[in-house]
Amino acid sequence: MMQTFRNAKQINFNTIIYVLIFSLLMSFFGYLYEQIDFIPNYLLANNPKEISVYWSKFHYIVNPAHYHILPATLTVFCLLYIWINRKRLNKLQYKSLILVTTLIIIVNILTVIAVFQINDKLYFSKEVNNQINLKWLAIVWSFINIIRLLILFICSLEIYNKFKTN
């Protein structure tokens, strides 16, 4: 009976690890989609102000933040579960957990900057009339997004490599 309980706990822990990897990759592919779809429209457009008007209408109906809420929430809950059960981790897994948690905090800080400082102006603001400012904001957003993509990819690999089961 006790062995069955231990096996069930291990299955539960492994499930959390896979859900964490899934949520990290879900965020990764969401950011990758945004990088491929949104930013070239600003950088290659003759009139970024016109593009801004179209994106503003699109994002009024379909806000990309709604997509990112689920993977971000899953990531936080999975990391919280692993931290609560960290006694069962070996040294390498514990170091990996610290690294991944730190990197996820950095991703979230970059996301707050991208969403509240840049996305608001690129997609929702009527204040930015200067085409050069729109292109500059798109370049900064793209740079931040590339950093987020790299970090999420590293986190996914780190979790997979350190926590994979046989």
Side-chain angles (χ1 to χ4, degrees):
M1 180 72 165
M2 193 60 159
Q3 185 65 27
T4 305
F5 182 69
R6 284 190 193 128
N7 288 343
K9 284 180 89 172
Q10 185 62 33
I11 290 170
N12 191 25
F13 190 78
N14 291 342
T15 302
I16 293 295
I17 296 299
Y18 290 121
V19 170
L20 175 59
I21 292 169
F22 175 77
S23 66
L24 290 170
L25 290 175
M26 192 173 169
S27 290
F28 173 85
F29 286 109
Y31 293 142
L32 183 61
Y33 167 76
E34 290 175 351
Q35 186 74 28
I36 292 168
D37 190 41
F38 299 158
I39 296 308
N41 285 296
Y42 275 104
L43 299 181
L44 301 175
N46 290 334
N47 188 351
K49 186 179 173 191
E50 185 178 327
I51 297 296
S52 181
V53 171
Y54 290 121
W55 280 124
S56 179
K57 290 177 184 176
F58 175 71
H59 286 121
Y60 180 75
I61 298 167
V62 183
N63 191 330
H66 297 154
Y67 170 85
H68 293 291
I69 290 170
L70 176 64
T73 304
L74 283 174
T75 300
V76 168
F77 281 123
C78 289
L79 283 174
L80 185 62
Y81 180 87
I82 296 168
W83 272 103
I84 290 169
N85 294 289
R86 68 184 175 272
K87 291 178 185 173
R88 61 195 320 184
L89 303 177
N90 63 39
K91 264 189 174 176
L92 283 176
Q93 289 174 328
Y94 183 72
K95 287 180 180 179
S96 178
L97 180 62
I98 292 170
L99 173 67
V100 168
T101 303
T102 304
L103 291 175
I104 293 300
I105 290 169
I106 292 169
V107 166
N108 287 326
I109 291 169
L110 291 173
T111 299
V112 167
I113 292 168
V115 169
F116 292 109
Q117 297 297 316
I118 300 172
N119 284 8
D120 197 40
K121 293 178 181 101
L122 282 177
Y123 302 120
F124 302 107
S125 179
K126 294 181 172 94
E127 297 172 14
V128 180
N129 292 324
N130 189 338
Q131 293 182 26
I132 295 171
N133 284 349
L134 286 172
K135 283 197 177 200
W136 175 247
L137 287 172
I139 291 169
V140 172
W141 185 94
S142 182
F143 181 72
I144 288 172
N145 200 49
I146 288 169
I147 293 170
R148 293 188 300 180
L149 286 166
L150 289 172
I151 290 173
L152 288 170
F153 184 73
I154 290 167
C155 287
S156 301
L157 285 178
E158 184 70 18
I159 290 293
Y160 179 76
N161 287 331
K162 297 297 188 296
F163 289 88
K164 66 183 171 189
T165 57
N166 297 329

